[in-house]
Amino acid sequence: MTAINSANKVAPSPSDEDVITISKANKWYGNFHVLKDIDLTVRKGERIVICGPSGSGKSTLIRCLNRLEAYQSGEITVDGILLGDDVKNIEAVRREVCMVFQHFNLFPHMTVLENLTLAPIWVRKTPKKEAIALAMHYLERVRIAEQAHKYPGQLSGGQQQRVAIARSLCMQPKIMLFDEPTSALDPEMVKEVLDVMVELAKEGMTMLCVTHEMGFAKEVADRVVFMDAGEIVEMGEPHDFFDNPKSDRTKLFLSQILSH
Amino acid sequence: MANSLKLPPGPVGSVGQRSVIWVRKNLFNSWLNSILTLLAIAFVLWIVPPIIEWAFVNSTFTPTIEACRAVSGACWGFVNANLRLILFGVYPFDQQWRPLLAMIVLGGIIVASLAGVKYPRMQKLIIPMWVIGIPVIAILMWGGVLGLTYVQNSAWGGLPLTLILSTIGIVFAFPLGLLLALGRQSNMPAIKTLSVVYIEVIRGVPLITVLFMASVMFPLFLPDGVSIDKLLRAQIGIILFTAAYLAEVFRGGLQAVPRGQFEAGDSLGLSYWQSMRLIILPQALRLVIPPTVNSFISMFKDTTLVVIIGLFDLLGAVKLALRSDPAWTRYYVEGYVFAAAIFFLICYSMGRYSAYLEKELRKGERR
């Protein structure tokens, strides 16, 4: 399931500037240790794919990056802002980091256009006209402009997820987080969403993507991170990662997901 | 003739034949159903004609005792003779155009506000209408300015009192209930505890107790010389009581909104209040329209309890009229039927509006 043919541009290389630094981050749910001493640095423009068996903490990790989840020890800095309990900091980070969810989470009581203009108008204080222009621009980019006045419930899953991506883009974020964006889709709709993500990657967006789409990882990722039981087990460039996995856990995982 | 040919092909047979088929299929399709149908018909025949005879055939509208004594049916003459006492209570007789006008203003604002669902242009006018309308109603009812004689609110009564108590009750209980519902879900322990205690205590007490406390006990706690008006105390009692019930209704709605909606709002950088106002509450409130209107209807009827603290609402005014002249006292059924009809009309309208609102809000938004 790849999206190789969607764009021929060569992705720009990441810069040297770090935009996310995670050091010794730990998180517990009660007694359950979900994240164990996570260390990860992401450079500006870098595309990272995070994979691993379910329950490995990969979703929790990226949900910590926009503080949908709190962490209990260690330090996470996003775009130069330390993410802790400070509400001001959390809001500042969320203005620059957007997330695309497995279940889209579009607002069902608003039209597609209203979904897109909501945050620019209320968070960025963009004038309404500009916000609409911006929304239409991104709807064109995800090839769904003709659906602008429909409600999310009237769209297919793939269309909804593209709207969700456009909604995030309307905030013109510096970093985009994808939490299993294609897992809830019918198989025939996965490609249309991946195509949009590949285009984004090739434009140099900083992306962290939790996904099992290994084709996507091979095509656009600068690094693949493998997590298991709350730890980062292995991390490397896609060709190293897929061709010469070092740990047994990685080998087992790859054999399981690549076998079918 | 030419037109009848264009009719779409319907079921075969005349209307009469089709009704016979329908009746057979639905009312006499088994021996049990046939018996039930016959019993139901017998019951209707037994109960309805006497009611019609009593209410319409053998009744009189002539507003005199003599006319009433002369008929075997309903004495609507009682209502006719005491209409103004029933509708306006003990409000000064020659000033009763004021509560009448106040009711028309209030009714107008309510209808115009409710129409806002259908006509978005009206929505901008809703708040200005209330901001202007409430003082206008207050001036009409109290007077004391613009050449209107002052009428103290212990003289207010009848339908205007019922409408004012319940409208003001809804207008204030709604936001208070929302805050309590949000408070109960809050992460802040103090706010959460306060909300829970408030809701549980108020729900655990009958309204009549709250009103009694407001009227009898509350003044004991006030310092000498400070007194809060009896009507205001009753109004506050009703607001506080209804808010507790609404809070639980709203909480149900909040819990029914998927977690993902909160997360989407957060991840877009919306603040808590923005998320609530723009994303969560529009969905949560839509889900709980039926129980919310349920609470409103129940509160509207509960305003009749203010009679125990000496205020004469619509029902209280009917009692007042019955006592006004011993000759009328035996016509209490007519009086209560009249009051019941007004209550039913208003409650039923609320129910219909709630159904309409649900339908209107669901248009286009198919899930």
Side-chain angles (χ1 to χ4, degrees):
Chain A
M1 194 71 65
T2 58
I4 308 273
N5 51 1
S6 59
N8 296 319
K9 272 191 282 185
V10 178
S13 312
S15 74
D16 296 334
E17 192 188 334
D18 292 341
V19 283
I20 298 176
T21 334
I22 306 170
S23 62
K24 295 264 167 282
N26 280 282
K27 178 175 175 63
W28 288 266
Y29 284 126
N31 288 327
F32 180 53
H33 202 169
V34 227
L35 295 179
K36 297 173 189 162
D37 283 336
I38 302 288
D39 283 305
L40 180 67
T41 307
V42 181
R43 285 168 296 153
K44 188 163 185 269
E46 200 173 12
R47 287 136 303 223
I48 291 187
V49 164
I50 303 170
C51 59
S54 62
S56 58
K58 53 197 192 309
S59 285
T60 309
L61 176 61
I62 70 163
R63 287 160 61 87
C64 283
L65 299 180
N66 64 348
R67 197 42 166 73
L68 288 183
E69 304 279 356
Y71 56 97
Q72 275 91 41
S73 75
E75 232 172 53
I76 297 181
T77 311
V78 177
D79 193 29
I81 304 163
L82 177 68
L83 256 184
D85 291 326
D86 187 302
V87 180
K88 283 267 169 304
N89 282 4
I90 294 172
E91 284 180 358
V93 165
R94 284 175 179 169
R95 280 195 289 273
E96 306 306 332
V97 180
C98 274
M99 182 174 255
V100 173
F101 298 87
Q102 181 177 3
H103 295 286
F104 333 132
N105 296 354
L106 295 174
F107 308 130
H109 61 300
M110 297 179 183
T111 62
V112 166
L113 191 61
E114 287 164 346
N115 264 279
L116 266 67
T117 54
L118 183 80
I121 289 175
W122 291 95
V123 179
R124 289 245 189 267
K125 312 291 177 204
T126 312
K128 196 173 174 195
K129 270 201 179 128
E130 273 176 50
I132 290 175
L134 191 72
M136 290 312 293
H137 168 74
Y138 285 114
L139 281 178
E140 302 269 354
R141 274 197 39 191
V142 301
R143 295 178 286 278
I144 207 166
E146 70 283 0
Q147 314 281 8
H149 296 286
K150 287 195 181 165
Y151 285 88
Q154 295 166 296
L155 306 183
S156 73
Q159 288 173 322
Q160 290 193 47
Q161 194 58 299
R162 284 186 281 148
V163 170
I165 293 173
R167 178 173 72 177
S168 292
L169 290 174
C170 279
M171 281 297 281
Q172 299 179 304
K174 293 183 180 156
I175 299 162
M176 284 199 43
L177 309 172
F178 292 84
D179 188 3
E180 306 206 26
T182 55
S183 304
L185 297 175
D186 290 336
E188 76 273 19
M189 292 170 183
V190 170
K191 185 174 176 299
E192 64 187 62
V193 171
L194 285 181
D195 283 349
V196 168
M197 289 168 59
V198 169
E199 277 173 43
L200 260 181
K202 300 209 162 167
E203 280 160 22
M205 174 66 78
T206 311
M207 292 165 73
L208 278 88
C209 185
V210 173
T211 185
H212 293 133
E213 297 295 337
M214 291 303 130
F216 174 78
K218 282 176 188 161
E219 186 184 355
V220 303
D222 296 299
R223 264 190 297 165
V224 180
V225 173
F226 173 68
M227 286 182 73
D228 190 17
E231 297 171 309
I232 293 182
V233 176
E234 188 166 343
M235 150 160 83
E237 293 185 19
H239 60 89
D240 281 342
F241 180 82
F242 289 109
D243 300 341
N244 305 307
K246 288 173 194 72
S247 89
D248 290 340
R249 282 196 274 181
T250 317
K251 283 175 195 159
L252 177 68
F253 175 73
L254 287 176
S255 72
Q256 280 165 342
I257 64 161
L258 295 176
S259 62
H260 55 259
Chain B
M1 278 311 277
N3 276 343
S4 66
L5 290 175
K6 284 182 197 158
L7 283 172
V12 196
S14 69
V15 176
Q17 282 168 322
R18 267 180 282 147
S19 340
V20 170
I21 293 170
W22 184 89
V23 166
R24 272 204 199 135
K25 217 166 89 185
N26 292 286
L27 302 180
F28 295 97
N29 54 349
S30 71
W31 62 269
L32 180 65
N33 260 1
S34 304
I35 290 173
L36 288 176
T37 302
L38 290 174
L39 279 177
I41 289 171
F43 182 76
V44 169
L45 286 178
W46 176 58
I47 200 94
V48 172
I51 289 179
I52 290 175
E53 257 173 45
W54 176 81
F56 301 109
V57 181
N58 296 331
S59 62
T60 178
F61 283 85
T62 317
T64 58
I65 296 276
E66 292 71 30
C68 279
R69 286 192 179 136
V71 296
S72 59
C75 163
W76 300 121
F78 160 70
V79 174
N80 197 354
N82 295 289
L83 189 61
R84 288 176 65 172
L85 181 57
I86 293 173
L87 286 183
F88 301 115
V90 291
Y91 204 90
F93 195 77
D94 58 336
Q95 298 289 318
Q96 284 179 358
W97 61 272
R98 283 160 50 182
L100 179 65
L101 191 57
M103 269 200 295
I104 293 170
V105 172
L106 184 61
I109 302 175
I110 292 172
V111 170
S113 306
L114 298 185
V117 184
K118 187 81 187 170
Y119 306 100
R121 265 176 300 168
M122 296 284 288
Q123 285 169 9
K124 281 186 193 135
L125 292 175
I126 291 178
I127 289 177
M129 275 192 309
W130 285 96
V131 169
I132 298 169
I134 289 183
V136 167
I137 291 166
I139 289 170
L140 279 169
M141 294 300 291
W142 265 301
V145 286
L146 306 172
L148 299 170
T149 44
Y150 176 70
V151 178
Q152 55 179 359
N153 55 21
S154 57
W156 298 7
L159 191 55
L161 183 67
T162 299
L163 289 179
I164 288 173
L165 279 173
S166 40
T167 311
I168 304 287
I170 288 172
V171 167
F172 285 91
F174 192 93
L176 183 58
L178 264 186
L179 289 178
L180 285 167
L182 295 176
R184 191 163 188 169
Q185 300 215 311
S186 169
N187 297 326
M188 288 174 263
I191 291 181
K192 188 182 170 112
T193 313
L194 257 172
S195 306
V196 172
V197 168
Y198 176 89
I199 292 169
E200 296 303 339
V201 167
I202 298 279
R203 275 201 313 173
V205 172
L207 176 59
I208 207 154
T209 317
V210 174
L211 289 176
F212 219 72
M213 294 265 288
S215 118
V216 180
M217 302 211 10
F218 186 58
L220 301 178
F221 298 118
L222 289 177
D224 282 343
V226 180
S227 76
I228 299 180
D229 180 81
K230 188 160 73 172
L231 179 65
L232 183 61
R233 274 183 269 143
Q235 180 73 77
I236 292 173
I238 288 173
I239 292 170
L240 297 182
F241 187 77
T242 308
Y245 280 86
L246 284 176
E248 287 297 278
V249 168
F250 295 152
R251 188 164 69 98
L254 288 171
Q255 283 174 346
V257 176
R259 266 223 66 68
Q261 295 290 310
F262 292 83
E263 291 179 352
D266 284 350
S267 75
L268 286 170
L270 292 163
S271 70
Y272 173 80
W273 289 108
Q274 285 173 336
S275 261
M276 275 298 157
R277 190 161 66 82
L278 300 164
I279 300 168
I280 307 302
L281 289 180
Q283 296 183 60
L285 294 181
R286 219 168 275 199
L287 290 167
V288 294
I289 290 171
T292 305
V293 175
N294 210 16
S295 288
F296 288 169
I297 288 177
S298 136
M299 179 256 245
F300 177 72
K301 292 185 293 185
D302 283 349
T303 55
T304 52
L305 291 174
V306 296
V307 80
I308 65 134
I309 58 169
L311 296 168
F312 294 101
D313 73 310
L314 181 61
L315 195 62
V318 171
K319 284 183 190 155
L320 207 60
L322 286 168
R323 266 185 275 139
S324 67
D325 182 345
W328 288 124
T329 311
R330 53 189 285 223
Y331 299 110
Y332 60 91
V333 175
E334 288 82 345
Y336 289 138
V337 166
F338 178 70
I342 293 180
F343 274 99
F344 175 77
L345 200 70
I346 294 172
C347 293
Y348 185 69
S349 309
M350 287 200 251
R352 294 314 307 160
Y353 182 76
S354 134
Y356 165 80
L357 191 62
E358 276 182 79
K359 213 178 89 200
E360 205 51 39
L361 292 176
R362 223 163 261 161
K363 269 186 193 163
E365 180 200 319
R366 275 162 289 166
R367 294 198 196 206

